[in-house]
Amino acid sequence: MKISITIPVAWAGLTIKQVLEEQLLIPRKIRHFLRMDKTLTLDGQEVHWQSIVVEGQLLDLEFKEDWYDSRQVQAGQANQVEVLYEDKHLIVVNKPEGMKTHANQPGEMACLNHVVAHTGQTCYVVHRLDQETSGVLLFAKNPVILPLLNRLLERREIKREYWALVQGNFPQKRQVYRDSIGRHRHDRRKRRVDTKNGQRAETMVTRLKSGRNATLVACQLATGRTHQIRVHLSYHGHPLVGDPLYHPRPKGRLMLHAYRLSFVHPLTQKALVLQALSPSFEASITFALNR
């Protein structure tokens, strides 16, 4: 696998070693292979590890498959994949509700398996969506970009916006919930607001459209706790319609959809904004808001 990167202004003045370690997060073992096999060039020339890079120079790297541990994922069905964006480094898809992000048992088929069938290669989960949640989902197509995407995720530089249909009338146009979230005492599947021992959690909620008995809201996360949106909204009296864990009388599908994903591609520096809706989510919104 070959990767070509034009040195951005932010990297100017760094050494090759710093670029590999600090910007590309390439593990020590792989850096050793690059050096020994001489598969790194700058503007077509071999360079010393302490060479200084200049904005606009072309850094070429070749990674060999046997440098990485092989990892086999069973292929699913390619026609189950709705692609929103794809290049040689990553793929973004629109996951339907009822499909797991990755399999938990041998022989089980999940979104990752179908993505593998579509791409014809091993792919890697960057973040996950609950089985009941539909929406925009990101996968890495090689082990080189995976740590870069993980770093963006850890730094909250991958922005995710969810749409949720909640019970009742949401009074404020905008609301921020900062209740700490911890494990449920009696149900291991669930989380709860726990002001004493819970982890910090922050959810920004914006009202989009109101109906008589339900409200469509957009949610953005400043933290990434399990079931964060579902717990916060339920705790404040607005459980998600169809939520099997947090709604007292759930009916239909869980009305939570990962609507938009935005980030700067770590290798091409291209700003990506991907968004999609689910047909069943749209239909349920229309029905619920017009009741």
Side-chain angles (χ1 to χ4, degrees):
M1 177 181 56
K2 294 182 179 180
I3 291 178
S4 297
I5 303 171
T6 301
I7 300 297
V9 63
W11 298 4
L14 300 179
T15 65
I16 291 289
K17 183 174 184 290
Q18 288 174 313
V19 168
L20 299 181
E21 289 182 9
E22 301 168 12
Q23 304 302 320
L24 297 178
L25 304 182
I26 295 175
R28 178 182 296 179
K29 181 178 77 171
I30 306 303
R31 297 198 307 269
H32 172 74
F33 289 142
L34 285 168
R35 185 199 295 263
M36 298 304 294
D37 288 14
K38 299 181 179 180
T39 57
L40 178 152
T41 62
L42 189 65
D43 285 341
Q45 303 295 320
E46 291 184 21
V47 289
H48 192 274
W49 242 230
Q50 296 303 320
S51 298
I52 303 295
V53 300
V54 176
E55 179 189 1
Q57 287 183 304
L58 186 65
L59 179 65
D60 289 309
L61 306 105
E62 182 179 356
F63 301 88
K64 299 181 180 179
E65 289 187 9
D66 59 3
W67 293 357
Y68 294 92
D69 296 330
S70 60
R71 179 176 177 271
Q72 297 298 319
V73 176
Q74 185 178 353
Q77 297 177 317
N79 62 5
Q80 295 292 311
V81 178
E82 180 186 345
V83 178
L84 302 176
Y85 175 84
E86 182 177 6
D87 62 25
K88 65 181 181 180
H89 304 296
L90 56 86
I91 180 171
V92 182
V93 305
N94 188 18
K95 184 187 85 67
E97 69 276 9
M99 181 185 290
K100 291 183 178 180
T101 296
H102 56 78
N104 297 319
Q105 301 176 31
E108 190 175 39
M109 290 291 106
C111 192
L112 174 62
N113 303 92
H114 302 317
V115 167
V116 166
H118 168 81
T119 60
Q121 64 181 87
T122 298
C123 293
Y124 306 83
V125 174
V126 177
H127 67 100
R128 63 182 296 275
L129 295 176
D130 292 336
Q131 182 173 351
E132 304 92 345
T133 304
S134 55
V136 185
L137 189 58
L138 169 65
F139 295 91
K141 291 177 69 175
N142 60 64
V144 176
I145 199 171
L146 181 61
L148 299 177
L149 294 172
N150 286 338
R151 179 170 63 180
L152 292 183
L153 200 66
E154 290 167 3
R155 292 179 174 179
R156 304 294 166 193
E157 292 175 16
I158 295 179
K159 306 297 183 184
R160 290 180 284 173
E161 179 180 317
Y162 293 79
W163 281 12
L165 187 68
V166 300
Q167 179 177 301
N169 182 263
F170 200 79
Q172 298 89 0
K173 176 64 177 177
R174 291 183 178 82
Q175 178 70 51
V176 179
Y177 296 131
R178 296 187 175 90
D179 314 281
S180 297
I181 293 176
R183 292 185 177 275
H184 197 280
R185 292 176 180 174
H186 308 297
D187 190 338
R188 61 185 299 179
R189 300 172 303 163
K190 298 175 68 174
R191 299 294 187 270
R192 67 186 182 96
V193 167
D194 184 347
T195 55
K196 277 191 173 182
N197 302 310
Q199 293 179 299
R200 172 182 171 269
E202 183 175 321
T203 307
M204 293 153 282
V205 185
T206 303
R207 186 181 68 231
L208 297 177
K209 190 174 182 180
S210 297
R212 180 179 297 177
N213 300 306
T215 305
L216 178 65
V217 297
C219 301
Q220 293 180 317
L221 305 181
T223 55
R225 308 303 173 203
T226 299
H227 296 175
Q228 180 173 319
I229 292 171
R230 300 162 69 179
V231 172
H232 272 167
L233 285 163
S234 174
Y235 181 76
H236 288 278
H238 298 284
L240 274 63
V241 173
D243 193 329
L245 292 180
Y246 302 100
H247 196 294
R249 295 179 299 278
K251 292 182 180 180
R253 62 156 291 189
L254 169 67
M255 291 302 293
L256 181 63
H257 178 81
Y259 172 67
R260 181 184 290 121
L261 190 75
S262 56
F263 61 99
V264 175
H265 195 300
L267 292 177
T268 67
Q269 298 302 301
K270 179 182 179 182
L272 298 175
V273 180
L274 295 315
Q275 63 187 45
L277 277 176
S278 153
S280 71
F281 188 83
E282 287 186 280
S284 297
I285 289 172
T286 301
F287 176 77
L289 294 180
N290 292 329
R291 289 180 62 185

